[in-house]
């Protein structure tokens, strides 16, 4: 998979995250690792920062549930509007986490 194909695969997967659910950067990387040969949460974060404006970027959080850095206020408002359970300053990953194996 070329770097451009990987960017598209990340964006396609993020587009599939259902409303009211979230994935971590590492979860996105893990879901694509077998196909892509890449497994870097940091790379997914960079892709989201550079190319994620056209997908539901607010549904991708850190493994601990922390909201996208620099966009916490907007992400929080969007997630609350979707009914995502929050815990403290972040998302309740145990309750809101999604995996592509679950389907849509």
């Amino acid at each position: 998979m070329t770097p451009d194909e990987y960017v598209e695969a990340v964006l396609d997967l993020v587009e599939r995250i259902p409303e009211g659910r979230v994935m971590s950067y590492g979860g996105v990387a893990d879901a694509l690792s077998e196909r892509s040969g890449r497994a870097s949460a940091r790379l997914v974060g960079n892709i989201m920062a550079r190319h994620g404006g056209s997908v539901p970027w607010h549904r991708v959080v850190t493994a601990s549930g922390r909201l996208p850095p620099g966009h916490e206020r907007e992400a929080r408002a969007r997630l609350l509007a979707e009914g995502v359970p929050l815990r403290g300053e972040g998302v309740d990953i145990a309750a809101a986490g999604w995996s592509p194996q679950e389907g849509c």
Side-chain angles (χ1 to χ4, degrees):
M1 183 179 284
T2 68
D4 287 341
E5 289 170 335
Y6 188 67
V7 168
E8 287 304 313
V10 167
L11 298 177
D12 288 345
L13 179 54
V14 171
E15 188 68 44
R16 292 178 37 219
I17 302 170
E19 187 173 310
R21 304 295 295 276
V22 299
M23 283 185 82
S24 69
Y25 296 100
V28 172
D30 289 346
L32 297 171
S33 65
E34 191 172 309
R35 238 177 48 197
S36 68
R38 296 169 177 87
S40 169
R42 185 168 296 206
L43 179 56
V44 171
N46 285 331
I47 289 169
M48 292 303 297
R50 292 182 177 170
H51 307 284
S54 64
V55 298
W57 56 268
H58 57 285
R59 296 181 189 154
V60 184
V61 298
T62 68
S64 66
R66 197 176 98 220
L67 303 176
H71 303 282
E72 295 89 350
R73 181 175 286 163
E74 185 176 353
R76 184 176 189 78
R78 288 179 181 216
L79 292 169
L80 281 172
E82 292 182 4
V84 172
L86 301 178
R87 177 181 290 172
E89 295 296 311
V91 172
D92 182 348
I93 291 286
W98 180 79
S99 169
Q101 289 77 27
E102 292 179 39
C104 290

